[in-house]
């Protein structure tokens, strides 16, 4: 029973023996019988009494992530040491370089870190510690500093010059201000010089470019250009032990580093702990000797419950009755509370606990842990989300380094842009709301942590579904950003409310994948999920259609077949349209008919311009999901002329690292010959072929073979444009990319890059380079928009180029150059307001003309795009508070403003003051001001007449709606003060 059982690892005989040998410094140790995260439990406990650096050697990136998370769960100070990128590929790898530099810095500072690395990462060349220290630039407030020497040092340390510092490894200079983004901080630092003295050091937000916190000192670490003569072992002290997750790592180079030498020689002089599942499966090796200590811990695996909470409750009750302590790991406090609520519904009360140990019989621990285990000798069981829900819930970890720059103008869509909805803004997670237990169980089964954007979109959809009028919402989110989860939550709500839900998708492949996803999630609940597509036999289709009519089918996923006249629903409440941009006009007109009576939720990564504009203009509601999934890397995109060498090289590189390749050739007639060509380029590869004219079962078999890793290369038409989510596929080659549309190319590129490895897209154009101008522009846009979250921005760019089209009819293309895009949007917004019965009086935007130099000098803001963006923001400023904030930002980013900038801000202040008075134009020169009012001016005519009469001739009406005023002769300051005083007088005349 519990009272007689030990309560800590120290009372566990195998651990006591291992800890004694560890402390004595025995070179060769072996521990077997450790299941799942029990390995990290034991290693973390060994490091606790004598904190020192430690190397944990694992076989893969996935294992490194798992180990680091498990060690942190049990209280260890664990960090991952990233491996090198593929040797022959050149990409943007500064974040990886920065992460390595930071680990090296922390080790040299004496931190007792558990460094988790693969053999490839361990042997990656690094500068020796002395060179690393010498290349580190240390700065403190008050130091004397030669700016040019600092910039030379940054160049030598591997930093890159940029106009605006938005990513780690960049620097920029503007007069006496130097911005640098080094690895030591999550945000970049702003160095402000007064002469050659450092006046201040401030962290700043890379998105807003505004300073946040002051620092007394900063260390700028080198990013890898120094001569690399060492590796990670040089940064680990001689006493640092090595933990081998798999003992065989010593003997053979792993797959991720085929050129690496065996590690047994490198690690021969270090204390080693080898881990295994089976006792004495292989003797520990050290200098040819057998292990001095070989202990079997006897831990056990635990059962999976996969969301079956009734079964879980029964097992928990049995364990507790036997005196076993049970710990349930939840990734965050929200998930922990959901889990406790679910257990209460099954008459079990789980106590929140802050530690793995303790006397509580049933406790919930907040933290990420990869897998559970049981320790019979200690009478304790750990269950993680892997066992509880069927898949580990992956928490969205904050990126180590922030990045990005705010959207400055509609036409200036560049790296890191943010798009903010006019009504809803970026949005926040605003708290929890009471939900039925079914909702909790369904939401708890989601294996990722929701991003803030996702939570906002889910909440907006639910609010829409509870409103009186039918929902018509577009959810725009990049490929793989979690739009399907938004749809799942909406469908569950509809079914829970007694309605049927239909999910309309453009391809049978996507329908098949959705069926699998929805069936898994709805498995624990009494809901029938069916698939209606050409993959089903006529008999099956007939039965499903009858089930929809009778109301026995709750959720149906289908292609265009769902829109057939014979398909009728008993109580359809929700229609989800996935990848809306893929449907033609006829299908959309049929969907439009449904919109009048049912909720419609549309999902898209690249909405067509008309759809996008209807959302932006308020005709439809819009939710944007911009937050990237966990540690997603942008897909590196290359435009190449077709050649055997390019194709062979791309295939070889991906296959060498154990990945899969998509080869897209959108001509069925020549697809077979292209597949033979690919087989010739990669003789050892398993090549399969797919296109839309294959028989249903054949196509399904090919897709399943590729998805399950039984094929290396899939040669296909654009049928793979949507639906496939294959983590091992990280290279896509698109032949004749010039023949594809922008949205198609973007979707195709989205087939790769869904995991942590760098992914690559090759856009092949004719060997002679000939293509029309439109195609060239499309490819250039796609190459520019490589950053995560670019799908929505791509649609915005497409909207600017093509126009919005006819919103009320079937035409989906148009050009607005005749009236200009801004005027077009204003006219449309006015029409929408009229239809809604809202007033449409347009605000007056005054033109101010004065005799003074008022501009942003090139010497103050050197980069032309930055100046244009700043001018645009000044044009949009509408209040004194906005202007004051802008002025503060200028001083923060660019230093004290020169006279021309101060004058510019003063002119804008006059414009802001004139706007609410209905002033269309204000001219001031030669001691005289002329003010022209709009007919809609709010000024009282009677009060204005009285003001003129009392002005002693200084004011007079020169013509209708035009006021003349005398100004004092002198400099600009006198003119400025007189104008501001006059505006203040006019403000008092508002009726």
């Amino acid at each position: 029973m519990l009272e007689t059982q030990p309560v800590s690892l120290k009372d566990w005989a195998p651990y006591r023996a291992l800890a004694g040998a560890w402390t004595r410094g025995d070179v060769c140790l072996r521990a077997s019988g450790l299941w799942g995260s029990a390995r990290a439990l034991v290693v973390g406990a060994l490091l606790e009494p004598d904190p020192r650096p430690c190397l944990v050697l694992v076989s893969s990136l996935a294992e490194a992530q798992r180990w680091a998370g498990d060690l942190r769960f049990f209280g260890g100070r664990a960090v991952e040491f990233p491996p090198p990128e593929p040797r022959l590929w050149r990409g943007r790898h500064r974040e990886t370089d920065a992460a390595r530099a930071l680990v090296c810095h922390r080790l040299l500072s004496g931190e007792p870190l558990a460094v988790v690395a693969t053999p490839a990462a361990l042997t990656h060349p690094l500068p020796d510690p002395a060179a690393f220290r010498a290349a580190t630039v240390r700065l403190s407030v008050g130091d004397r500093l030669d700016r040019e020497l600092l910039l030379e040092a940054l160049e030598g340390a591997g930093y890159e010059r940029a106009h605006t510092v938005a990513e780690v490894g960049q620097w920029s200079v503007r007069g006496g201000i130097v911005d640098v983004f080094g690895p030591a901080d999550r945000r970049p630092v702003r160095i402000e010089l007064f002469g050659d003295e450092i006046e201040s050091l401030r962290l700043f937000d890379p998105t807003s470019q505004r300073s946040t916190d002051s620092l007394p000192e900063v260390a700028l670490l080198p990013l890898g250009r120094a001569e690399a003569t060492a590796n990670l072992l040089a940064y680990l002290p001689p006493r640092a032990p090595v933990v081998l997750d798999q003992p065989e790592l010593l003997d053979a180079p792993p797959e991720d580093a085929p050129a690496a030498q065996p590690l047994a020689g490198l690690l021969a002089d270090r204390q080693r702990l080898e881990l295994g599942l089976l006792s004495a499966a292989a003797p520990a090796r050290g200098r040819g000797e057998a292990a001095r200590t070989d202990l079997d811990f006897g831990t056990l695996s635990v059962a999976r419950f996969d969301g079956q909470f009734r079964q879980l409750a029964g097992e928990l009750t049995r364990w507790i009755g036997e005196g076993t302590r049970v710990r349930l790991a939840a990734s965050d406090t929200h998930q922990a509370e959901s889990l406790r609520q679910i257990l209460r519904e099954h008459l079990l009360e789980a106590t929140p606990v802050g530690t793995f140990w303790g006397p509580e019989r049933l406790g919930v621990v907040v933290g990420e842990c990869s897998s559970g285990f049981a320790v019979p000798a200690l009478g304790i069981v750990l269950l993680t989300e892997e066992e509880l829900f069927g898949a580990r819930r992956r928490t969205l970890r904050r990126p180590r380094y922030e990045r990005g720059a705010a959207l400055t103008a509609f036409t200036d869509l560049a790296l890191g842009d943010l798009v903010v909805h006019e009504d809803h803004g970026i949005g926040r997670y605003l708290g929890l709301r009471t939900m039925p237990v079914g909702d909790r169980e369904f939401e708890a089964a989601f294996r990722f942590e929701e991003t803030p954007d996702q939570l906002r979109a889910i909440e907006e959809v639910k609010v829409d579904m509870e409103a009186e009028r039918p929902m018509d919402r577009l959810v725009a989110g990049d490929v793989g950003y979690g739009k399907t989860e938004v749809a799942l939550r909406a469908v569950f709500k509809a079914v829970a409310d007694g309605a049927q839900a239909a999910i309309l998708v453009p391809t049978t492949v996507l329908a098949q994948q959705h069926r699998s996803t929805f069936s898994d999630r709805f498995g624990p609940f009494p809901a029938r999920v069916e698939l209606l597509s050409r993959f089903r036999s006529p008999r099956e289709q007939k039965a499903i259609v009858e089930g929809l009519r009778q109301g026995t089918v709750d959720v149906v996923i289908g292609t265009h077949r769902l829109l057939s006249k014979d398909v009728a629903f008993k109580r359809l409440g929700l229609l989800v349209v996935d990848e809306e941009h893929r449907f033609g006009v006829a299908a959309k007109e049929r969907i439009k008919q449904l919109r009048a009576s049912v909720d419609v939720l549309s999902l898209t990564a690249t909405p067509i311009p008309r759809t996008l504009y209807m959302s932006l203009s308020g005709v439809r509601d819009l939710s944007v999901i911009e937050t990237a999934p966990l540690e997603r890397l942008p897909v590196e995109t290359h435009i190449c002329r077709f050649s055997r060498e390019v194709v062979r090289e791309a295939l070889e590189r991906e296959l060498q690292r154990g990945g899969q390749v998509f080869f897209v050739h959108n001509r069925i007639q020549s697809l077979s010959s292209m597949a033979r060509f690919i087989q010739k380029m990669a003789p050892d590869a398993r090549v399969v072929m797919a296109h839309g004219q294959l028989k249903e079962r054949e196509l399904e078999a090919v897709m399943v073979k590729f998805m399950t890793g039984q094929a290396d290369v899939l040669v296909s038409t654009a049928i793979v444009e949507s639906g496939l989510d294959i983590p091992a596929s990280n290279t896509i080659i698109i032949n004749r990319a010039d023949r594809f549309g922008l949205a198609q190319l973007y979707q195709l590129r989205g087939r790769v890059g869904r995991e942590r490895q760098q992914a690559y897209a090759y856009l092949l154009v004719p060997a002679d380079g000939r293509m029309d101008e439109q195609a060239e522009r499309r490819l250039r846009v796609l190459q520019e928009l490589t950053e995560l979250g670019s799908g929505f921005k791509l649609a915005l760019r497409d909207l600017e180029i093509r126009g919005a089209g006819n919103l009320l009819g079937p035409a989906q293309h148009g050009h607005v150059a005749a009236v200009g895009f801004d005027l077009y949007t204003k006219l449309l917004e006015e029409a929408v307001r009229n239809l809604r019965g809202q007033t449409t009086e347009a605000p007056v935007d005054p033109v101010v003309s004065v005799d003074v130099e008022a501009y942003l000098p090139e010497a103050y803001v050197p980069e032309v795009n930055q100046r244009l963006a700043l001018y645009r923001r000044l044009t949009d400023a509408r209040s004194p508070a906005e202007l004051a904030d802008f002025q503060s930002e200028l001083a923060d980013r660019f230093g004290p403003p020169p006279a021309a900038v101060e004058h510019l801000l003063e002119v804008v202040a006059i414009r802001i003051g004139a706007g609410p008075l209905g002033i269309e134009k204000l001219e001031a020169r030669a001691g005289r001001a002329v003010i022209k009012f709009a007919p809609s001016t709010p000024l009282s005519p009677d009060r204005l007449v009285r003001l003129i009469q009392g002005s002693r001739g200084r004011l007079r009406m020169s013509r209708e709606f035009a006021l003349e005023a005398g100004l004092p002769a002198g400099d600009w300051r006198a003119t400025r003060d007189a104008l501001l005083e006059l505006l203040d007088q006019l403000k008092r005349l508002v009726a």
Side-chain angles (χ1 to χ4, degrees):
M1 297 297 290
L2 179 65
E3 291 75 10
T4 62
Q5 291 173 340
V7 294
S8 75
L9 279 176
K10 295 177 183 177
D11 297 306
W12 194 8
Y15 174 77
R16 282 201 311 273
L18 181 63
W22 177 274
T23 303
R24 289 193 306 269
D26 291 3
V27 174
C28 300
L29 308 173
R30 179 178 175 82
S32 57
L34 287 169
W35 188 274
S37 59
R39 298 183 174 200
L41 170 70
V42 169
V43 171
L46 291 173
L47 293 170
E48 186 178 1
D50 180 20
R52 50 178 165 154
C54 170
L55 172 65
V56 180
L57 202 58
V58 298
S59 61
S60 67
L61 283 172
E63 287 298 301
Q65 185 182 6
R66 180 185 70 78
W67 256 97
D70 289 350
L71 284 169
R72 286 190 288 265
F73 178 80
F74 292 112
R77 300 178 66 179
V79 293
E80 296 171 57
F81 192 77
E85 302 74 28
R87 287 170 298 159
L88 300 178
W89 281 332
R90 291 182 181 178
R92 297 173 54 198
H93 307 307
R94 294 188 176 277
E95 291 192 8
T96 303
D97 293 338
R100 281 195 290 262
L102 182 59
V103 172
C104 291
H105 172 69
R106 293 177 67 183
L107 288 172
L108 292 178
S109 300
E111 289 191 50
L113 299 177
V115 182
V116 187
T118 64
L122 175 64
T123 56
H124 178 65
L126 299 172
D128 69 68
F132 185 91
R133 287 192 179 98
T136 299
V137 178
R138 298 182 182 276
L139 305 173
S140 299
V141 174
D143 283 354
R144 316 286 296 180
L145 179 68
D146 185 314
R147 193 192 74 167
E148 297 309 313
L149 289 179
L150 170 64
L151 302 184
E152 286 180 20
L154 292 175
E155 284 288 337
Y159 289 76
E160 177 184 49
R161 184 167 189 170
H163 294 303
T164 302
V165 170
E167 300 176 24
V168 70
Q170 293 180 335
W171 66 271
S172 70
V173 60
R174 299 176 300 282
I177 289 181
V178 180
D179 290 347
V180 190
F181 202 156
D185 294 293
R186 292 191 66 248
R187 289 183 164 183
V189 66
R190 180 159 290 150
I191 306 162
E192 186 162 5
L193 300 170
F194 184 75
D196 61 353
E197 181 180 327
I198 299 177
E199 188 174 51
S200 68
L201 296 170
R202 307 188 300 272
L203 293 178
F204 68 91
D205 185 331
T207 295
S208 69
Q209 295 288 304
R210 300 292 297 273
S211 295
T212 55
D213 305 293
S214 295
L215 298 174
E217 59 184 11
V218 67
L220 303 175
L221 311 179
L223 289 174
R225 283 197 186 171
E227 185 180 358
T229 59
N231 58 38
L232 179 59
L233 288 174
Y235 291 80
L236 292 165
R239 285 190 66 240
V242 178
V243 176
L244 290 162
D245 185 48
Q246 297 177 16
E248 55 269 23
L249 290 174
L250 287 175
D251 298 326
E255 290 184 6
D256 66 344
Q261 59 175 325
L263 300 176
L266 284 175
L267 304 176
D269 295 328
R270 291 184 180 267
Q271 184 182 33
R272 290 202 315 274
L273 169 61
E274 300 180 7
L275 304 176
L277 273 180
L278 302 178
S279 178
R285 288 136 301 186
R287 300 173 182 166
E289 300 175 7
R292 297 181 185 175
T293 305
D294 190 346
L295 298 161
D296 187 352
F297 281 73
T299 65
L300 303 175
S301 62
V302 286
R304 295 172 63 97
F305 298 95
D306 295 350
Q308 303 293 334
F309 290 102
R310 184 175 299 173
Q311 180 186 346
L312 170 65
E315 195 69 6
L316 291 176
T317 302
R318 182 181 68 81
W319 277 327
I320 293 170
E322 294 174 351
T324 299
R325 287 167 296 154
V326 181
R327 296 292 177 263
L328 309 177
S331 56
D332 55 45
T333 54
H334 171 59
Q335 186 78 341
E337 186 54 39
S338 295
L339 183 56
R340 293 182 66 212
Q341 180 62 31
I342 292 168
L343 293 176
R344 284 192 196 106
E345 297 293 329
H346 295 280
L347 306 179
L348 286 169
E349 185 63 40
T351 305
V353 294
T355 175
F356 182 73
W357 305 106
E360 296 85 2
R361 296 290 182 91
L362 179 60
V364 177
V365 187
V366 174
E368 282 194 83
C369 193
S370 65
S371 57
F373 57 84
V375 186
L378 295 178
I380 194 164
V381 170
L382 171 67
L383 297 177
T384 68
E385 292 184 356
E386 181 77 24
E387 295 83 33
L388 295 171
F389 301 113
R392 183 183 173 202
R393 178 184 173 89
R394 295 178 63 188
T395 303
L396 182 75
R397 297 188 300 182
R398 289 171 64 187
R400 171 64 205 171
Y401 302 107
E402 296 185 12
R403 60 196 311 210
L407 180 66
T408 53
F410 183 82
T411 54
D412 183 15
L413 294 164
L415 177 69
D417 289 348
L418 301 175
V419 179
V420 182
H421 190 284
E422 185 173 331
D423 293 327
H424 304 296
I426 294 175
R428 296 172 183 266
Y429 175 53
L430 298 177
L432 306 177
R433 68 179 181 88
T434 304
M435 299 183 297
V437 65
D439 281 357
R440 289 183 182 278
E441 293 189 16
F442 190 83
E443 296 184 6
F446 183 43
R447 66 187 185 97
F448 300 91
E449 180 187 0
E450 299 91 343
T451 65
D453 308 30
Q454 254 186 321
L455 288 170
R456 176 172 51 79
I458 290 167
E459 187 61 28
E460 288 169 347
V461 168
K462 289 183 177 179
V463 169
D464 284 357
M465 293 177 72
E466 291 166 1
E468 290 185 9
R469 68 178 179 88
M471 172 176 67
D472 188 7
R473 180 170 290 277
L474 173 68
V475 176
D478 219 331
V479 177
Y481 270 38
K483 299 184 297 295
T484 302
E485 182 63 22
V486 178
L488 276 161
R489 304 279 177 97
V491 169
F492 185 86
K493 177 173 174 55
V495 173
D497 291 341
Q500 292 170 296
I503 298 93
L504 180 64
V505 298
T507 68
T508 52
V509 175
L510 182 54
Q512 195 80 359
Q513 180 150 332
H514 273 340
R515 183 202 186 189
S516 174
T517 301
F518 276 72
S519 297
D520 287 346
R521 289 292 294 279
F522 278 87
F525 303 96
R528 181 181 169 193
V529 179
E530 289 290 356
L531 170 68
L532 187 61
S533 76
R534 65 188 180 93
F535 275 174
R536 310 306 297 266
S537 67
R539 183 177 178 182
E540 289 172 327
Q541 291 186 38
K542 184 177 180 181
I544 293 167
V545 169
E546 183 61 25
L548 292 172
R549 186 179 293 109
Q550 296 293 331
T552 58
V553 173
D554 301 291
V555 182
V556 62
I557 299 147
T559 55
H560 298 72
R561 177 74 177 84
L562 273 180
L563 301 176
S564 303
K565 291 181 179 180
D566 67 319
V567 177
F569 296 82
K570 182 177 181 179
R571 53 180 187 279
L572 180 63
L574 173 67
L575 173 65
V576 178
V577 184
D578 198 0
E579 299 202 14
E580 186 180 46
H581 65 281
R582 297 285 305 280
F583 289 94
V585 173
K588 288 182 179 176
E589 291 302 310
R590 172 77 177 104
I591 295 167
K592 188 189 293 184
Q593 296 169 11
L594 293 172
R595 281 200 171 101
S597 57
V598 302
D599 291 328
V600 177
L601 176 64
S602 302
L603 312 176
T604 186
T606 51
I608 63 168
R610 178 176 68 168
T611 305
L612 175 65
Y613 193 80
M614 289 175 72
S615 295
L616 291 180
S617 61
V619 178
R620 298 175 69 186
D621 294 312
L622 173 69
S623 297
V624 181
I625 301 177
E626 290 188 299
T627 309
L630 175 67
E631 295 184 349
R632 178 77 59 86
L633 297 172
V635 178
E636 211 167 282
T637 305
H638 302 278
I639 301 173
C640 313
R641 295 188 181 191
F642 184 93
S643 73
R644 290 171 175 264
E645 291 72 23
V646 168
V647 174
R648 182 186 292 112
E649 191 176 69
L651 290 168
E652 285 179 354
R653 290 172 179 173
E654 185 59 51
L655 297 175
Q656 279 176 2
R657 61 174 180 173
Q660 293 172 288
V661 180
F662 288 103
F663 189 97
V664 178
H665 178 78
N666 210 25
R667 290 288 184 273
I668 293 179
Q669 297 85 346
S670 53
L671 196 65
S672 296
S673 60
M674 184 57 71
R676 290 192 293 272
F677 168 75
I678 294 300
Q679 188 69 75
K680 189 175 181 181
M681 293 297 99
D684 297 330
R686 297 166 295 174
V687 180
V688 293
M689 184 179 70
H691 56 78
Q693 293 182 10
L694 287 177
K695 292 180 180 178
E696 290 85 348
R697 301 302 178 190
E698 286 182 69
L699 180 59
E700 184 177 10
V702 169
M703 291 301 186
V704 168
K705 184 177 287 189
F706 190 65
M707 292 169 70
T708 55
Q710 300 174 58
D712 303 311
V713 183
L714 174 62
V715 180
S716 76
T717 59
I719 194 173
V720 298
E721 179 181 337
S722 57
L724 291 181
D725 183 0
I726 306 173
S729 300
N730 282 301
T731 291
I732 184 166
I733 306 169
I734 304 171
N735 191 31
R736 289 308 302 264
D738 55 305
R739 290 178 173 172
F740 288 86
L742 202 51
Q744 264 191 309
L745 287 170
Y746 194 78
Q747 286 287 328
L748 285 167
R749 187 174 67 180
R751 295 310 99 213
V752 298
R754 298 203 164 213
E755 286 297 314
R756 299 178 70 198
Q757 281 194 320
Q758 180 65 59
Y760 298 85
Y762 293 85
L763 310 181
L764 303 184
V765 299
D768 58 10
R770 292 182 182 176
M771 54 183 145
D772 62 51
E773 184 183 351
Q774 282 280 72
E776 200 167 336
R777 289 177 67 191
R778 288 196 300 269
L779 294 175
R780 181 58 56 193
V781 167
L782 192 71
Q783 191 174 42
E784 288 174 7
L785 295 180
T786 59
E787 282 307 295
L788 300 171
S790 298
F792 186 63
K793 291 177 275 188
L794 179 143
L796 285 171
R797 183 75 65 85
D798 201 16
L799 176 61
E800 173 74 6
I801 293 169
R802 287 172 39 192
N806 183 344
L807 301 191
L808 302 179
Q812 298 191 45
H813 58 84
H815 209 284
V816 295
V819 295
F821 186 76
D822 285 344
L823 176 57
Y824 175 81
T825 59
K826 289 175 182 175
L827 290 172
L828 182 61
E829 286 167 2
E830 184 177 327
V832 171
R833 285 197 297 268
N834 277 330
L835 289 171
R836 291 177 170 176
Q838 301 170 348
T839 58
T840 59
E841 218 168 70
V844 176
D845 196 3
V847 175
V848 178
S849 179
V850 293
D851 275 339
V852 68
E853 287 195 342
Y855 67 102
L856 295 171
E858 185 176 347
Y860 185 61
V861 183
E863 210 276 312
V864 63
N865 285 332
Q866 284 187 5
R867 290 201 302 279
L868 287 171
L870 293 172
Y871 279 129
R872 178 63 180 260
R873 287 178 56 196
L874 277 174
T875 303
D876 293 339
R878 289 291 179 268
S879 71
E882 282 184 72
L883 185 61
D885 187 63
F886 184 86
Q887 185 171 4
S888 172
E889 179 183 338
L890 283 182
D892 178 17
R893 294 177 61 185
F894 304 99
V901 177
E902 289 184 343
H903 296 161
L904 176 63
L905 296 171
E906 290 162 352
V907 171
V908 174
I910 293 170
R911 178 182 62 77
I912 289 172
L917 303 177
I919 296 174
E920 289 183 337
K921 191 172 184 180
L922 188 156
E923 291 184 72
R925 49 177 53 91
R928 177 171 164 270
V930 178
I931 298 174
K932 183 182 179 183
F933 295 96
S936 60
T937 178
L939 299 191
S940 164
D942 294 339
R943 293 178 185 176
L944 181 57
V945 169
R946 287 196 293 272
L947 178 67
I948 293 172
Q949 290 172 345
S951 69
R952 299 178 182 177
R954 189 173 63 87
L955 302 175
R956 74 182 185 91
M957 293 297 293
S958 60
R959 57 186 183 278
E960 189 180 14
F961 297 118
L963 175 70
E964 284 191 15
L967 298 176
D971 61 8
W972 161 246
R973 290 184 181 179
T975 302
R976 173 201 64 194
D977 293 344
L979 288 173
L980 290 172
E981 183 183 351
L982 176 58
L983 292 175
D984 191 53
Q985 289 177 320
L986 294 174
K987 192 184 300 182
R988 300 178 197 142
L989 307 182
V990 176

